C-alpha cells in the first residue's frame, strides 16, 4: 500500500517542502530509503522501526520503500522521523488513509516513541505557509515557532498522541488545533526591556569620546574600531552598545529568529528572540565557523550577528585570513558561500565593533612601559589589512583613565538616555528614506550622496580641504559624508553642516594605526 506525508527541510536559509512517500509491497523484507539522504536521515529507518516495536507495533515482513522527493535535493536533519513513521503506519492501515493530508509534519523520534524538538521549524513553517499549508504536527517545543509562521500547530510529545489525533474525525481534529498566533507582538511584551540587559553605559567612568563614537555608530549602524591600552574600557563599551540600539521590529525578528532556528540556538521555550544579537567570538575561531560552512552550508557567526553586533575583541590576534572574510559582508551586507552542491547566500547585515591594543603588549607609544620592537608592532598591526580598515566607518582612541576620574566616580550618560537619541536619529532616517530600500545612513551609496547629503558652499570647501590633507580614498570620502549625515541626525539638523564634517573627520583612520 502507498501513502504520502508532507514534510520539509532547510536549504541554506530557505525552507523547502518535501514529500515523504512510503510503499509496502511483497518481496524481500527490508527497509529501504532513497532521495539524496544524509547519514542522520538514513538512520531514521532504524529509529522508526524500534519506536514502533516499543509501542507494540511490529513491521510486517514486507519490502518497505521510503522516498523523499524531490530526490535531487539534499536532505539533512532528524525532522523526517515523524513523517516517515506516519507514512509507514498509514501504509500499514494503522492510521486512516489521507488523515495527514495537507498537514506539515516534523519531528525526531526517540526509541520509546517520544517526539523531540528539531532545528529549522520556523523557516520550514514559513515556506509551508507560503505554499498554502495551514496546519502542522510538530514537537511541542517547536509549536510556537510554527504558530508564529501562521500555521495552526498541534504540538505533540509522543507518537501515540499523533496516532490518536489522526484517528479522530477531521472536525474534531480541527477543534483541537489552537488558532494561529493572532498577536505577533506578544513575544516582546514580557519580560520588560529593562530586564534584557544587566549592564549600562552609566557604569563607565570617563571615555566620553568613545561613548560619543558608540552613540554615532548605533544611530547610523556604522562599523566601529576602538584602540587603546589594556584596561581602558574598550570591551565594557562594546558590550553596552546593544543597550542603546532600538528593539528589533517584527520583520527583523522573524528574519533573525529563522537563522537562529536553523542553527538550533533559539532560547528554550521561545519562538522569537527578545533582543538584538551580540556575538563575541574568540580570536581562535576558524574561517568556516565565522562565515558558515558544511556540505550544505549553515549560518556562521557573521550571519548569527545579523541585525545586531559582531564584536571582535583583540582584533589583530585573529588570523589575517579570518579577518579578510569580512570584506564582502562589510561591503554588501551578505555573505556568499559556493559549494559543489550549490551557491548559498546568507544575510550578514551586522554592525562590526572591533577593539585592539596599539601593540602586542598594549602600551605603545609609552616607551616607559612598551618593550615591543618596531618589527613586532608592524607584524602585529599587519593582521588587519588596509581594505578592512577602509570599510570601518569610525575609529576612536580609548586613552588610559586617570585616577582623578575614578575618585570622582561621576556617572556618565545612561543607556536609556543614549537610546532615546539613537531612536530619534533612526526615526529621521526612516522618514528620509521612506519608499527606498535604504534604512540607515551607513547604507548610502555613492550615487545617493548628492541627494541625501547635500552640502553648502562652505561645507564643500571644508570637505575639499579634508580630502586633500587626509589623502582620503574615494571610499573614505563617502564614509566621512555618511558619518557626518548621522551626526547631523543626532543634532536634529536637516543639513550637514561644517561642524558635522569636522567631527566626522576626527573618526577617520588617518594616523590611527
Amino acid at each position: 500500500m502507498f501513502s504520502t506525508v508532507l514534510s520539509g527541510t532547510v536549504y541554506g536559509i530557505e525552507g523547502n517542502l518535501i514529500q515523504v512517500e512510503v510503499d509496502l509491497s511483497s518481496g524481500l523484507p527490508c527497509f529501504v530509503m532513497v532521495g539524496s539522504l544524509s547519514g542522520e536521515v538514513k538512520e531514521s529507518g532504524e529509529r522508526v522501526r524500534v519506536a514502533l516495536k516499543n509501542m507494540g507495533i511490529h513491521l510486517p515482513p514486507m519490502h518497505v520503500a521510503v522516498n523523499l522527493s524531490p530526490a535531487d535535493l539534499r536532505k539533512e536533519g532528524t525532522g523526517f522521523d515523524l513523517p516517515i513513521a506516519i507514512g509507514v503506519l498509514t501504509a500499514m492501515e494503522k492510521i486512516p488513509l489521507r488523515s495527514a493530508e495537507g498537514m506539515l509534519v516534523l519531528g525526531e523520534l526517540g526509541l520509546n516513541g517520544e517526539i523531540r524538538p528539531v532545528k529549522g521549524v520556523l523557516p520550514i513553517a514559513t515556506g509551508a505557509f507560503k505554499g498554502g499549508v495551514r496546519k502542522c504536527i510538530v514537537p511541542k517545543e517547536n509549536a510556537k515557532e510554527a504558530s508564529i509562521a501562521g500555521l495552526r500547530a498541534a504540538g505533540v510529545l509522543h507518537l501515540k498522541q499523533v496516532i490518536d489525533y489522526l484517528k479522530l474525525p477531521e472536525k474534531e481534529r480541527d477543534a483541537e488545533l489552537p488558532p494561529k498566533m493572532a498577536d505577533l507582538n506578544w513575544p516582546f511584551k514580557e519580560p520588560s526591556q529593562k530586564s534584557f540587559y544587566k549592564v549600562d553605559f552609566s557604569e563607565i567612568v570617563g571615555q566620553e569620546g568613545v561613548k560619543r563614537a558608540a552613540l554615532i555608530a548605533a544611530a547610523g549602524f556604522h562599523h566601529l574600531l576602538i584602540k587603546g591600552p589594556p584596561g581602558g574600557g574598550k570591551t565594557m563599551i562594546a558590550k553596552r552598545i546593544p543597550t542603546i540600539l532600538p528593539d528589533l521590529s517584527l520583520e527583523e525578528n522573524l528574519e533573525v529568529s529563522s537563522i537562529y532556528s536553523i542553527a538550533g540556538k533559539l532560547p528554550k521555550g521561545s519562538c522569537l528572540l527578545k533582543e538584538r544579537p551580540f556575538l563575541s567570538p574568540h580570536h581562535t575561531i576558524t574561517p568556516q565557523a565565522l562565515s558558515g560552512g558544511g556540505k550544505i552550508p549553515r549560518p556562521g557567526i557573521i550571519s548569527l550577528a545579523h541585525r545586531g553586533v559582531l564584536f571582535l575583541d583583540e582584533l589583530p590576534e585573529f588570523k589575517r585570513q579570518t579577518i579578510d572574510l569580512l570584506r564582502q559582508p562589510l561591503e554588501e551586507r551578505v555573505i556568499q558561500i559556493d559549494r559543489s552542491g550549490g551557491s548559498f547566500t546568507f544575510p550578514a547585515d551586522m554592525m562590526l565593533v572591533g577593539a585592539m591594543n596599539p601593540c602586542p603588549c598594549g602600551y605603545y607609544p609609552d616607551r616607559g612601559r612598551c618593550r615591543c620592537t618596531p618589527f613586532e608592532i608592524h607584524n602585529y598591526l599587519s593582521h588587519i589589512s588596509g581594505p578592512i580598515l577602509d570599510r570601518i566607518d569610525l575609529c576612536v582612541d580609548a586613552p588610559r583613565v586617570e585616577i582623578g576620574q575614578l575618585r570622582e566616580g561621576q556617572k556618565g550618560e545612561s543607556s536609556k538616555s543614549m537610546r532615546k537619541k539613537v531612536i530619534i536619529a533612526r526615526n529621521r532616517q526612516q522618514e528620509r528614506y521612506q519608499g527606498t530600500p535604504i534604512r540607515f545612513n551607513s547604507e548610502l551609496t555613492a550615487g545617493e550622496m548628492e541627494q541625501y547629503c547635500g552640502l553648502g558652499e562652505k561645507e564643500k570647501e571644508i570637505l575639499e580641504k579634508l580630502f586633500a590633507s587626509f589623502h582620503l580614498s574615494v571610499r573614505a570620502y563617502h564614509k566621512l559624508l555618511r558619518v557626518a549625515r548621522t551626526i547631523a541626525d543626532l543634532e536634529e539638523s536637516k543639513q550637514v553642516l561644517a561642524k558635522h564634517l569636522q567631527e566626522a573627520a576626527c573618526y577617520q583612520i588617518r594616523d590611527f594605526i
Side-chain angles (χ1 to χ4, degrees):
M1 187 174 177
F2 173 82
S3 68
T4 180
V5 179
L6 183 65
S7 189
T9 189
V10 174
Y11 199 67
I13 60 168
E14 299 293 330
N16 291 266
L17 294 179
I18 302 294
Q19 287 289 343
V20 178
E21 301 171 337
V22 179
D23 180 76
L24 266 65
S25 60
S26 58
L28 185 67
C30 61
F31 200 115
V32 179
M33 294 182 61
V34 294
S36 188
L37 314 177
S38 66
E40 62 264 32
V41 181
K42 291 178 182 177
E43 293 165 356
S44 290
E46 190 63 14
R47 285 194 292 271
V48 169
R49 186 187 66 80
V50 177
L52 293 178
K53 184 263 296 182
N54 288 330
M55 291 177 60
I57 303 172
H58 294 274
L59 288 177
M62 300 178 73
H63 182 91
V64 181
V66 179
N67 176 46
L68 274 60
S69 176
D72 61 341
L73 188 67
R74 180 76 174 173
K75 322 299 187 308
E76 288 192 339
T78 56
F80 295 107
D81 292 4
L82 184 56
I84 291 172
I86 291 174
V88 170
L89 289 168
T90 304
M92 292 171 60
E93 300 183 344
K94 299 287 185 181
I95 292 176
L97 187 64
R98 296 180 179 174
S99 58
E101 188 175 25
M103 297 186 77
L104 175 72
V105 182
L106 294 165
E108 178 185 339
L109 274 180
L111 298 184
N112 60 350
E114 177 189 2
I115 297 175
R116 297 167 181 166
V118 293
K119 300 177 184 178
V121 171
L122 181 54
I124 294 172
T126 301
F129 184 82
K130 292 176 181 177
V133 179
R134 294 296 179 264
K135 297 180 286 185
C136 67
I137 300 175
V138 294
K140 190 169 184 178
E141 289 185 37
N142 297 126
K144 285 184 179 179
E145 287 182 65
S147 184
I148 209 73
L151 303 184
R152 297 182 64 190
V156 291
L157 294 170
H158 198 276
L159 184 56
K160 189 177 185 304
Q161 279 182 269
V162 179
I163 296 171
D164 293 341
Y165 173 76
L166 291 177
K167 285 181 177 179
L168 292 173
E170 190 170 349
K171 289 184 178 180
E172 293 183 33
R173 280 194 281 138
D174 285 347
E176 287 197 12
L177 282 176
K180 68 179 182 180
M181 206 69 72
D183 181 10
L184 293 181
N185 291 312
W186 70 267
F188 306 103
K189 292 180 177 177
E190 56 183 10
S192 66
Q193 174 68 29
K194 186 177 179 181
S195 66
F196 287 170
Y197 306 106
K198 297 180 180 179
V199 294
D200 196 279
F201 264 105
S202 63
E203 299 163 350
I204 297 174
V205 177
Q207 302 295 13
E208 294 303 318
V210 187
K211 289 172 70 174
R212 172 68 175 175
L215 176 68
I216 297 168
F221 214 61
H222 299 286
H223 306 305
L224 172 67
L225 180 60
I226 309 171
K227 185 193 75 168
K234 303 185 294 295
T235 303
M236 287 181 66
I237 290 171
K239 288 184 175 180
R240 283 158 177 76
I241 288 177
T243 67
I244 63 174
L245 292 173
D247 293 335
L248 285 164
S249 67
L250 178 61
E251 182 184 356
E252 288 176 328
N253 206 313
L254 287 170
E255 190 178 2
V256 177
S257 297
S258 291
I259 298 171
Y260 274 71
S261 176
I262 294 167
K265 293 183 179 293
L266 276 179
K268 190 173 182 180
S270 177
C271 59
L272 292 178
L273 298 178
K274 292 187 174 70
E275 58 188 74
R276 290 188 181 271
F278 178 88
L279 284 94
S280 179
H282 192 261
H283 66 264
T284 57
I285 188 172
T286 63
Q288 292 75 20
L290 187 66
S291 63
K295 191 167 184 179
I296 294 184
R298 296 289 184 176
I301 293 295
I302 292 175
S303 295
L304 290 173
H306 183 60
R307 306 294 189 193
V309 178
L310 174 62
F311 175 48
L312 301 183
D313 201 3
E314 304 298 342
L315 186 59
E317 297 291 348
F318 287 78
K319 294 180 180 178
R320 179 161 181 165
Q321 177 191 5
T322 304
I323 297 174
D324 281 346
L325 281 172
L326 294 168
R327 288 193 190 190
Q328 184 188 32
L330 294 183
E331 189 74 18
E332 300 177 12
R333 302 182 185 275
V334 295
I335 185 163
Q336 186 168 324
I337 302 174
D338 295 302
R339 294 289 185 269
S340 58
S343 181
F344 303 84
T345 300
F346 293 107
D349 190 2
M350 45 73 188
M351 175 181 168
L352 175 67
V353 178
M356 59 177 288
N357 295 327
C359 68
C361 75
Y363 297 106
Y364 180 82
D366 183 358
R367 281 304 183 182
R369 303 181 70 185
C370 179
R371 295 294 183 267
C372 302
T373 66
F375 174 78
E376 288 173 331
I377 296 173
H378 179 269
N379 187 55
Y380 177 74
L381 298 179
S382 66
H383 280 224
I384 312 173
S385 65
I388 291 295
L389 290 174
D390 213 26
R391 286 167 167 81
I392 295 176
D393 301 330
L394 296 102
C395 303
V396 64
D397 265 308
R400 181 171 172 267
V401 178
E402 298 299 330
I403 185 65
Q405 294 174 295
L406 293 174
R407 283 179 176 172
E408 289 176 7
Q410 186 174 358
K411 288 192 173 184
E413 189 174 10
S414 68
S415 292
K416 184 178 180 180
S417 172
M418 294 174 71
R419 191 168 181 265
K420 286 180 180 178
K421 294 177 181 178
V422 170
I423 291 173
I424 290 172
R426 290 278 185 97
N427 289 339
R428 293 180 70 87
Q429 293 169 64
Q430 188 176 0
E431 290 174 12
R432 183 186 307 120
Y433 306 129
Q434 191 171 11
T436 72
I438 304 169
R439 295 173 301 114
F440 308 113
N441 292 328
S442 59
E443 297 177 2
L444 285 173
T445 62
E448 295 157 340
M449 291 292 179
E450 185 66 30
Q451 180 181 355
Y452 297 112
C453 302
L455 302 176
E457 292 302 320
K458 178 184 176 182
E459 285 73 26
K460 287 180 181 178
E461 185 180 338
I462 289 174
L463 191 57
E464 287 176 9
K465 290 179 180 178
L466 290 172
F467 185 84
S469 59
F470 285 7
H471 303 288
L472 298 178
S473 66
V474 175
R475 181 185 281 122
Y477 169 83
H478 292 140
K479 180 173 63 177
L480 188 150
L481 272 176
R482 286 192 290 263
V483 173
R485 178 67 269 178
T486 300
I487 295 171
D489 288 337
L490 284 168
E491 301 294 327
E492 300 188 49
S493 171
K494 291 184 178 180
Q495 298 295 322
V496 177
L497 304 178
K499 62 179 181 178
H500 304 143
L501 290 169
Q502 289 163 346
E503 182 178 357
C506 297
Y507 302 117
Q508 287 295 300
I509 203 76
R510 185 184 72 92
D511 296 334
F512 186 77
I513 294 179

